Amino acid sequence: MSSEETLLEIAAEVAVCSKCNLCKGRTKAVPGEGSLHAKILFIGEGPGFHEDQQGRPFVGPAGQFLDELLDSIQLKRSDVFITNVVKCRPPNNRDPLPEEIRACNDYLDRQIAVLKPQVIVTLGRYSMAKFFGSEKISAIHGRARKKDGYICIAMYHPAAGLHQASLKNVIREDFKKIPLVVAEAQRLAAEGPITMPASSQNKDEPPQQLSLF
Ligand code: URA
Ligand code: SF4
């Protein structure tokens, strides 16, 4: 199967998925979208009202801010790939439950495996938890780390900037670091696949921080 076929296959499975209770309240599932050749994968939390209506990620107010942020680093949506930890909207936008995240995780892992992004940007605490465990966003936001063989940056969720004005500029500043991290990731990729020392593959250990940052 080509990468494109694999992504379409995942989207088709998500559209009819009933692996968790979120299937009951959804209008449309939101598998995610973007470039097959994306160097950057953004992972949010889950669809909200507008996403559920349209079947597309980040198309509501948080999405408008994300568009502004992408524009600030000369990127378009079509240059990147955007998805979420859970692909169906939690009722009343409540937080996704651990069992829902677990049920949906395989789709995200398959998307990551097929896209092989150079950089993964986590938006908010649920996608952060996948790569950074229980670390605090206030401590690690905007910093690149190698984790699970990928270079990841944890960011505040764009919606947090809408609710809390003081965070808006923090998020803007964090975003400006992305091009530098991508450049560094490209340099590392040119040197060969990222190989993690066996000791750092232990999930209990803190992720490595890139020397650059
Ligand atoms: N918030 C998210 O986390 N994801 C979306 O797709 C929209 C809003
Ligand atoms: Fe399936 Fe994920 Fe939707 Fe749950 S949230 S029904 S696991 S696609």
Side-chain angles (χ1 to χ4, degrees):
M1 235 194 250
S2 70
S3 305
E4 186 175 14
E5 284 165 345
T6 306
L7 283 173
L8 287 171
E9 164 71 26
I10 295 167
E13 287 177 38
V14 163
V16 296
C17 177
S18 56
K19 287 203 286 179
C20 83
N21 278 334
L22 295 182
C23 69
K24 293 180 186 157
R26 76 175 168 230
T27 310
K28 287 185 180 166
V30 182
E33 64 184 31
S35 169
L36 260 180
H37 309 287
K39 294 184 188 135
I40 312 173
L41 171 64
F42 291 90
I43 309 176
E45 194 167 302
F49 173 82
H50 297 279
E51 291 77 22
D52 175 70
Q53 291 290 310
Q54 297 182 38
R56 300 183 56 209
F58 283 97
V59 289
Q64 279 169 23
F65 186 33
L66 181 60
D67 285 342
E68 178 208 305
L69 293 163
L70 288 171
D71 194 52
S72 76
I73 52 172
Q74 283 80 49
L75 285 174
K76 298 186 295 295
R77 264 169 190 263
S78 53
D79 297 323
V80 302
F81 200 95
I82 305 174
T83 191
N84 283 304
V85 165
V86 293
K87 316 298 194 201
C88 304
R89 182 191 181 204
N92 301 315
N93 298 344
R94 68 154 168 73
D95 291 346
L97 299 172
E99 62 261 33
E100 293 160 354
I101 295 172
R102 260 196 310 277
C104 215
N105 184 55
D106 182 56
Y107 297 122
L108 180 56
D109 280 345
R110 286 161 63 197
Q111 288 173 319
I112 295 170
V114 64
L115 288 165
K116 297 186 191 65
Q118 285 180 344
V119 173
I120 293 176
V121 180
T122 63
L123 302 171
R125 56 199 162 111
Y126 293 97
S127 50
M128 179 177 81
K130 179 172 170 68
F131 297 98
F132 296 93
S134 57
E135 292 205 58
K136 277 202 151 52
I137 184 75
S138 55
I140 66 166
H141 69 91
R143 291 210 242 133
R145 314 263 191 98
K146 275 191 217 164
K147 195 73 193 26
D148 294 347
Y150 286 98
I151 294 172
C152 305
I153 322 176
M155 303 261 175
Y156 283 103
H157 195 287
L162 301 181
H163 299 136
Q164 224 178 310
S166 59
L167 280 182
K168 215 166 181 184
N169 279 331
V170 173
I171 299 172
R172 288 191 176 115
E173 290 308 308
D174 283 350
F175 250 73
K176 289 190 189 139
K177 297 172 190 160
I178 293 176
L180 197 59
V181 176
V182 173
E184 176 70 357
Q186 248 161 338
R187 193 185 64 75
L188 289 172
E191 284 176 4
I194 298 169
T195 46
M196 304 289 281
S199 65
S200 69
Q201 288 172 1
N202 182 337
K203 286 221 183 286
D204 297 335
E205 287 193 15
Q208 283 185 334
Q209 184 165 350
L210 285 184
S211 55
L212 179 77
F213 301 98

PDB file of all heavy atoms in Angstrom, residues 118-140:
ATOM      1  N   GLN A 118       9.434  14.795  10.451  1.00  0.00           N
ATOM      2  CA  GLN A 118      10.723  15.143  11.055  1.00  0.00           C
ATOM      3  C   GLN A 118      10.519  15.759  12.425  1.00  0.00           C
ATOM      4  O   GLN A 118      11.366  15.633  13.299  1.00  0.00           O
ATOM      5  CB  GLN A 118      11.493  16.092  10.143  1.00  0.00           C
ATOM      6  CG  GLN A 118      12.076  15.335   8.955  1.00  0.00           C
ATOM      7  CD  GLN A 118      12.843  16.226   8.010  1.00  0.00           C
ATOM      8  OE1 GLN A 118      12.727  17.439   8.057  1.00  0.00           O
ATOM      9  NE2 GLN A 118      13.600  15.605   7.138  1.00  0.00           N
ATOM     10  N   VAL A 119       9.399  16.432  12.585  1.00  0.00           N
ATOM     11  CA  VAL A 119       9.115  17.082  13.865  1.00  0.00           C
ATOM     12  C   VAL A 119       7.634  16.863  14.214  1.00  0.00           C
ATOM     13  O   VAL A 119       6.762  16.991  13.352  1.00  0.00           O
ATOM     14  CB  VAL A 119       9.417  18.599  13.793  1.00  0.00           C
ATOM     15  CG1 VAL A 119       8.964  19.307  15.057  1.00  0.00           C
ATOM     16  CG2 VAL A 119      10.904  18.842  13.547  1.00  0.00           C
ATOM     17  N   ILE A 120       7.387  16.514  15.463  1.00  0.00           N
ATOM     18  CA  ILE A 120       6.014  16.383  15.958  1.00  0.00           C
ATOM     19  C   ILE A 120       5.754  17.516  16.945  1.00  0.00           C
ATOM     20  O   ILE A 120       6.526  17.701  17.897  1.00  0.00           O
ATOM     21  CB  ILE A 120       5.805  15.019  16.657  1.00  0.00           C
ATOM     22  CG1 ILE A 120       5.906  13.882  15.628  1.00  0.00           C
ATOM     23  CG2 ILE A 120       4.448  14.973  17.376  1.00  0.00           C
ATOM     24  CD1 ILE A 120       5.812  12.478  16.226  1.00  0.00           C
ATOM     25  N   VAL A 121       4.709  18.296  16.691  1.00  0.00           N
ATOM     26  CA  VAL A 121       4.339  19.376  17.611  1.00  0.00           C
ATOM     27  C   VAL A 121       3.072  18.949  18.352  1.00  0.00           C
ATOM     28  O   VAL A 121       2.034  18.703  17.718  1.00  0.00           O
ATOM     29  CB  VAL A 121       4.086  20.702  16.864  1.00  0.00           C
ATOM     30  CG1 VAL A 121       3.703  21.804  17.849  1.00  0.00           C
ATOM     31  CG2 VAL A 121       5.323  21.108  16.057  1.00  0.00           C
ATOM     32  N   THR A 122       3.168  18.816  19.661  1.00  0.00           N
ATOM     33  CA  THR A 122       1.985  18.455  20.438  1.00  0.00           C
ATOM     34  C   THR A 122       1.295  19.744  20.883  1.00  0.00           C
ATOM     35  O   THR A 122       1.939  20.682  21.345  1.00  0.00           O
ATOM     36  CB  THR A 122       2.343  17.580  21.657  1.00  0.00           C
ATOM     37  OG1 THR A 122       3.188  18.307  22.557  1.00  0.00           O
ATOM     38  CG2 THR A 122       3.054  16.309  21.224  1.00  0.00           C
ATOM     39  N   LEU A 123      -0.031  19.777  20.697  1.00  0.00           N
ATOM     40  CA  LEU A 123      -0.823  20.957  21.064  1.00  0.00           C
ATOM     41  C   LEU A 123      -1.712  20.575  22.244  1.00  0.00           C
ATOM     42  O   LEU A 123      -2.671  19.820  22.084  1.00  0.00           O
ATOM     43  CB  LEU A 123      -1.677  21.402  19.877  1.00  0.00           C
ATOM     44  CG  LEU A 123      -0.908  21.753  18.591  1.00  0.00           C
ATOM     45  CD1 LEU A 123      -1.882  21.973  17.435  1.00  0.00           C
ATOM     46  CD2 LEU A 123      -0.041  22.997  18.792  1.00  0.00           C
ATOM     47  N   GLY A 124      -1.346  21.039  23.416  1.00  0.00           N
ATOM     48  CA  GLY A 124      -2.160  20.726  24.592  1.00  0.00           C
ATOM     49  C   GLY A 124      -1.680  19.498  25.333  1.00  0.00           C
ATOM     50  O   GLY A 124      -0.783  18.794  24.886  1.00  0.00           O
ATOM     51  N   ARG A 125      -2.341  19.220  26.472  1.00  0.00           N
ATOM     52  CA  ARG A 125      -1.739  18.242  27.376  1.00  0.00           C
ATOM     53  C   ARG A 125      -1.959  16.799  26.996  1.00  0.00           C
ATOM     54  O   ARG A 125      -1.185  15.931  27.366  1.00  0.00           O
ATOM     55  CB  ARG A 125      -2.149  18.478  28.818  1.00  0.00           C
ATOM     56  CG  ARG A 125      -3.595  18.493  29.095  1.00  0.00           C
ATOM     57  CD  ARG A 125      -3.853  19.193  30.421  1.00  0.00           C
ATOM     58  NE  ARG A 125      -5.230  19.573  30.468  1.00  0.00           N
ATOM     59  CZ  ARG A 125      -6.122  19.024  31.280  1.00  0.00           C
ATOM     60  NH1 ARG A 125      -5.761  18.104  32.131  1.00  0.00           N
ATOM     61  NH2 ARG A 125      -7.365  19.403  31.236  1.00  0.00           N
ATOM     62  N   TYR A 126      -3.000  16.482  26.228  1.00  0.00           N
ATOM     63  CA  TYR A 126      -3.229  15.066  25.929  1.00  0.00           C
ATOM     64  C   TYR A 126      -2.237  14.527  24.913  1.00  0.00           C
ATOM     65  O   TYR A 126      -1.744  13.413  25.059  1.00  0.00           O
ATOM     66  CB  TYR A 126      -4.685  14.835  25.511  1.00  0.00           C
ATOM     67  CG  TYR A 126      -5.574  15.090  26.693  1.00  0.00           C
ATOM     68  CD1 TYR A 126      -6.205  16.316  26.867  1.00  0.00           C
ATOM     69  CD2 TYR A 126      -5.688  14.137  27.694  1.00  0.00           C
ATOM     70  CE1 TYR A 126      -6.968  16.569  27.995  1.00  0.00           C
ATOM     71  CE2 TYR A 126      -6.447  14.374  28.831  1.00  0.00           C
ATOM     72  CZ  TYR A 126      -7.080  15.597  28.973  1.00  0.00           C
ATOM     73  OH  TYR A 126      -7.810  15.843  30.104  1.00  0.00           O
ATOM     74  N   SER A 127      -1.934  15.313  23.892  1.00  0.00           N
ATOM     75  CA  SER A 127      -0.909  14.834  22.963  1.00  0.00           C
ATOM     76  C   SER A 127       0.469  14.949  23.606  1.00  0.00           C
ATOM     77  O   SER A 127       1.349  14.124  23.367  1.00  0.00           O
ATOM     78  CB  SER A 127      -0.974  15.585  21.634  1.00  0.00           C
ATOM     79  OG  SER A 127      -0.996  16.973  21.815  1.00  0.00           O
ATOM     80  N   MET A 128       0.652  15.950  24.467  1.00  0.00           N
ATOM     81  CA  MET A 128       1.926  16.067  25.183  1.00  0.00           C
ATOM     82  C   MET A 128       2.178  14.811  26.016  1.00  0.00           C
ATOM     83  O   MET A 128       3.282  14.279  26.044  1.00  0.00           O
ATOM     84  CB  MET A 128       1.919  17.294  26.091  1.00  0.00           C
ATOM     85  CG  MET A 128       3.204  17.453  26.864  1.00  0.00           C
ATOM     86  SD  MET A 128       3.216  18.936  27.872  1.00  0.00           S
ATOM     87  CE  MET A 128       2.287  18.397  29.280  1.00  0.00           C
ATOM     88  N   ALA A 129       1.125  14.325  26.686  1.00  0.00           N
ATOM     89  CA  ALA A 129       1.279  13.174  27.580  1.00  0.00           C
ATOM     90  C   ALA A 129       1.764  11.937  26.825  1.00  0.00           C
ATOM     91  O   ALA A 129       2.473  11.097  27.377  1.00  0.00           O
ATOM     92  CB  ALA A 129      -0.040  12.874  28.275  1.00  0.00           C
ATOM     93  N   LYS A 130       1.396  11.845  25.555  1.00  0.00           N
ATOM     94  CA  LYS A 130       1.817  10.675  24.757  1.00  0.00           C
ATOM     95  C   LYS A 130       3.346  10.618  24.640  1.00  0.00           C
ATOM     96  O   LYS A 130       3.927   9.545  24.636  1.00  0.00           O
ATOM     97  CB  LYS A 130       1.162  10.748  23.367  1.00  0.00           C
ATOM     98  CG  LYS A 130       1.539   9.600  22.440  1.00  0.00           C
ATOM     99  CD  LYS A 130       0.725   9.637  21.178  1.00  0.00           C
ATOM    100  CE  LYS A 130       1.227   8.660  20.120  1.00  0.00           C
ATOM    101  NZ  LYS A 130       1.044   7.249  20.489  1.00  0.00           N
ATOM    102  N   PHE A 131       3.963  11.774  24.527  1.00  0.00           N
ATOM    103  CA  PHE A 131       5.414  11.802  24.312  1.00  0.00           C
ATOM    104  C   PHE A 131       6.200  12.232  25.544  1.00  0.00           C
ATOM    105  O   PHE A 131       7.373  11.916  25.668  1.00  0.00           O
ATOM    106  CB  PHE A 131       5.760  12.740  23.146  1.00  0.00           C
ATOM    107  CG  PHE A 131       5.180  12.286  21.851  1.00  0.00           C
ATOM    108  CD1 PHE A 131       4.003  12.824  21.371  1.00  0.00           C
ATOM    109  CD2 PHE A 131       5.791  11.279  21.119  1.00  0.00           C
ATOM    110  CE1 PHE A 131       3.446  12.389  20.182  1.00  0.00           C
ATOM    111  CE2 PHE A 131       5.256  10.833  19.934  1.00  0.00           C
ATOM    112  CZ  PHE A 131       4.071  11.387  19.458  1.00  0.00           C
ATOM    113  N   PHE A 132       5.576  12.998  26.410  1.00  0.00           N
ATOM    114  CA  PHE A 132       6.325  13.588  27.519  1.00  0.00           C
ATOM    115  C   PHE A 132       5.829  13.135  28.887  1.00  0.00           C
ATOM    116  O   PHE A 132       6.218  13.694  29.905  1.00  0.00           O
ATOM    117  CB  PHE A 132       6.261  15.117  27.443  1.00  0.00           C
ATOM    118  CG  PHE A 132       6.928  15.699  26.223  1.00  0.00           C
ATOM    119  CD1 PHE A 132       6.200  15.955  25.075  1.00  0.00           C
ATOM    120  CD2 PHE A 132       8.283  15.985  26.222  1.00  0.00           C
ATOM    121  CE1 PHE A 132       6.806  16.497  23.948  1.00  0.00           C
ATOM    122  CE2 PHE A 132       8.890  16.529  25.099  1.00  0.00           C
ATOM    123  CZ  PHE A 132       8.154  16.777  23.961  1.00  0.00           C
ATOM    124  N   GLY A 133       4.918  12.148  28.913  1.00  0.00           N
ATOM    125  CA  GLY A 133       4.435  11.629  30.187  1.00  0.00           C
ATOM    126  C   GLY A 133       3.763  12.713  31.006  1.00  0.00           C
ATOM    127  O   GLY A 133       2.974  13.495  30.485  1.00  0.00           O
ATOM    128  N   SER A 134       4.115  12.776  32.279  1.00  0.00           N
ATOM    129  CA  SER A 134       3.399  13.701  33.160  1.00  0.00           C
ATOM    130  C   SER A 134       4.149  15.016  33.356  1.00  0.00           C
ATOM    131  O   SER A 134       3.896  15.737  34.309  1.00  0.00           O
ATOM    132  CB  SER A 134       3.165  13.027  34.506  1.00  0.00           C
ATOM    133  OG  SER A 134       4.420  12.640  35.029  1.00  0.00           O
ATOM    134  N   GLU A 135       5.055  15.337  32.432  1.00  0.00           N
ATOM    135  CA  GLU A 135       5.769  16.610  32.594  1.00  0.00           C
ATOM    136  C   GLU A 135       4.804  17.789  32.498  1.00  0.00           C
ATOM    137  O   GLU A 135       3.719  17.683  31.930  1.00  0.00           O
ATOM    138  CB  GLU A 135       6.846  16.716  31.519  1.00  0.00           C
ATOM    139  CG  GLU A 135       7.939  15.688  31.761  1.00  0.00           C
ATOM    140  CD  GLU A 135       9.250  16.119  31.153  1.00  0.00           C
ATOM    141  OE1 GLU A 135       9.735  17.195  31.508  1.00  0.00           O
ATOM    142  OE2 GLU A 135       9.751  15.372  30.313  1.00  0.00           O
ATOM    143  N   LYS A 136       5.248  18.907  33.020  1.00  0.00           N
ATOM    144  CA  LYS A 136       4.371  20.076  33.047  1.00  0.00           C
ATOM    145  C   LYS A 136       4.600  20.944  31.813  1.00  0.00           C
ATOM    146  O   LYS A 136       5.736  21.298  31.498  1.00  0.00           O
ATOM    147  CB  LYS A 136       4.691  20.909  34.291  1.00  0.00           C
ATOM    148  CG  LYS A 136       4.006  20.424  35.549  1.00  0.00           C
ATOM    149  CD  LYS A 136       3.942  21.593  36.555  1.00  0.00           C
ATOM    150  CE  LYS A 136       2.778  21.511  37.475  1.00  0.00           C
ATOM    151  NZ  LYS A 136       2.607  20.272  38.172  1.00  0.00           N
ATOM    152  N   ILE A 137       3.519  21.328  31.146  1.00  0.00           N
ATOM    153  CA  ILE A 137       3.613  22.164  29.944  1.00  0.00           C
ATOM    154  C   ILE A 137       4.319  23.487  30.266  1.00  0.00           C
ATOM    155  O   ILE A 137       5.106  23.990  29.452  1.00  0.00           O
ATOM    156  CB  ILE A 137       2.217  22.397  29.302  1.00  0.00           C
ATOM    157  CG1 ILE A 137       2.307  23.192  28.001  1.00  0.00           C
ATOM    158  CG2 ILE A 137       1.246  23.073  30.246  1.00  0.00           C
ATOM    159  CD1 ILE A 137       2.814  22.467  26.819  1.00  0.00           C
ATOM    160  N   SER A 138       4.072  24.025  31.475  1.00  0.00           N
ATOM    161  CA  SER A 138       4.696  25.310  31.820  1.00  0.00           C
ATOM    162  C   SER A 138       6.215  25.185  31.882  1.00  0.00           C
ATOM    163  O   SER A 138       6.937  26.165  31.706  1.00  0.00           O
ATOM    164  CB  SER A 138       4.154  25.816  33.158  1.00  0.00           C
ATOM    165  OG  SER A 138       4.333  24.828  34.151  1.00  0.00           O
ATOM    166  N   ALA A 139       6.708  23.959  32.095  1.00  0.00           N
ATOM    167  CA  ALA A 139       8.154  23.761  32.195  1.00  0.00           C
ATOM    168  C   ALA A 139       8.793  23.431  30.851  1.00  0.00           C
ATOM    169  O   ALA A 139       9.958  23.751  30.618  1.00  0.00           O
ATOM    170  CB  ALA A 139       8.450  22.633  33.192  1.00  0.00           C
ATOM    171  N   ILE A 140       8.055  22.798  29.961  1.00  0.00           N
ATOM    172  CA  ILE A 140       8.723  22.258  28.757  1.00  0.00           C
ATOM    173  C   ILE A 140       8.240  22.863  27.441  1.00  0.00           C
ATOM    174  O   ILE A 140       8.756  22.527  26.386  1.00  0.00           O
ATOM    175  CB  ILE A 140       8.584  20.714  28.684  1.00  0.00           C
ATOM    176  CG1 ILE A 140       7.121  20.291  28.484  1.00  0.00           C
ATOM    177  CG2 ILE A 140       9.186  20.051  29.920  1.00  0.00           C
ATOM    178  CD1 ILE A 140       6.999  18.819  28.080  1.00  0.00           C
TER     179      ILE A 140
END
